[in-house]
Amino acid sequence: MLPAMNLRLVILASSAFAALAIATPNQWEWRIRGSISVTLDAIATAAFERPAVTIRIERFSPEWYEPGKIAIALRSRTAPATLSSLPVSVLSILSHFGVRQAKPYLPPTDVPMVQARSVGLERVVIAWFDLGFDPFDVAAALMESPDVAYATPLYIRRVFLQPNDPQLGQQYALSRMQLPAAWDVTTGSTSVTIAIIDSGTDYEHEDLAGNLWTNPGETGTDAQGRDKRTNGIDDDGNGKIDDWRGWDFVGNVTRAEYMNGTVREDNDPKIRATTIPVEMQHGTNTAGAAAAVTNNGRGIASPGFQCRYIPIKCGSDDASLAGSVLRGYDAILYAARLGATIINCSWGGPGGSPLEQQIIDQARALGSFIVVASGNDGVNLDRQPYYPASYHGVFTVGASTAGDAPASFSNYGAVVAAYAPGAGIRTTTVNNAYTTVDGTSFATPLASGVAALLRSLHPDWSLDQVAAQLRYSCDPLNGVSQSNRPLYYGRINAYRALAANRIFTSGMRFPGVQLVGVTVDRATAINSTDPHTLQLEIRNLLAPASTVRLTITSSSNATLGQ
Ligand SMILES: [Ca+2]
Ligand SMILES: [Ca+2]
Ligand SMILES: [Ca+2]
Ligand SMILES: [Ca+2]
């Protein structure tokens, strides 16, 4: 199956769909439109800063949304515990859609932790309404309320798997990224974790079992002497009972059941089915690419070497949902709350959501470095955004080939932070087997593995420093010219990422100079010949830069004065 084709079809279907009459009460029909724009306020915390961002919530076919469910961010209040305590304007709108239930997105017990560095998730309510309504229509109606900061459907995403290219399996990727030399610097820390948010992971695989993370809060014995893994108690208070080896956010449900709002969460993130189609092997493929047990005399090597992985299952055990990533953002927040060092997302789809951006902001505030696939449509993400690849604050990875050129299927653009090999990647698969796979899905965990090594070496660095180091230590890709290099910045070199900037004052080192802001007399554009003051804000994240030269040129035919 080609997810790329699916995604294109969905876009076409959605524009056609927008023209159809939707069966909603008459008084709401005028609100139905193609997209909703939401601006999230700028955020500044000690760890990172984010400019104000505008996200367009697009209308798609309802099969791409969670059914009968919506997220509502209140403008100025913490989410109330019950439906009846919602602001009257919100309740009044929801009543037209047969609202049944509402509860805070975060359990009330989590609020103090989140408020420590809040991005506003404590104001988000999830509401359940009549399954006959399109969540987009409900969102559009709610956006009319002065009490609502945003309302958004909850999206279903897809894995970025390409059909298998029948070439010989080989791990050229690791030598290309200079991993053998990198492992001389460090083989990683066993306390560094990579959350694999995916279809489900065969953690019993011979080359994965040894690097499986275990949750220290759900192992050992409780006060009654019972095994915390099986005592039926949420010992670490994260809302998940006995999650000692990750979590399954979906369970075994059919597509029809899921579309009726059914999930069956459990604490076993391995798929339990006799036949497992390739899309459902994806989470075993990505886990192995990042964190297969290395130097154990069997199977494959992985960049992460001895770093641990946390399997988090967001696919069903049932083949009718093969390839769908459900509740992926709930999983991102769960992983961040567990303290995951790296979060790997080899999936995505069209259509942005302010809730998803806020969850990414919150996960970053909790210290997780989020690595995401650029996607396999061969498009420029700067013109055609995909998510999470196009969100602020993620490290977006494209795929390169065995010839060290950008892969034709890889999405590209300035938003892609770096490339990693993503064609002909040898990795683990279900039933103790190995396979060769293609896609940005597999470039991403290779990058996550390198990020885990870097984080092992520099646990005190900020997330922005980690990102800058991974990007600026890249090798240029083949077939990329100076003029289009910003679209294909370079391929990750693990050795340079680890060996350079060990300390910022001596040895192999490079600066990380970034332009973080441009202001013109506090305005946004120069539209007269009057003198203007242009203020550029530049920061250096890495080793000191001895000479920084800035030149201003015009990218259009307009002339630029002195
Ligand atoms: Ca727990
Ligand atoms: Ca327990
Ligand atoms: Ca399960
Ligand atoms: Ca191995």
Side-chain angles (χ1 to χ4, degrees), residues 218 234 236 238 240 243:
E218 290 275 9
D234 179 17
D236 60 354
N238 65 352
K240 309 296 181 200
D243 57 328

Side-chain angles (χ1 to χ4, degrees), residues 218 228-229 231 233 235 242:
E218 290 275 9
K228 285 187 190 175
R229 296 178 301 178
N231 62 357
I233 290 169
D235 294 285
D242 297 346

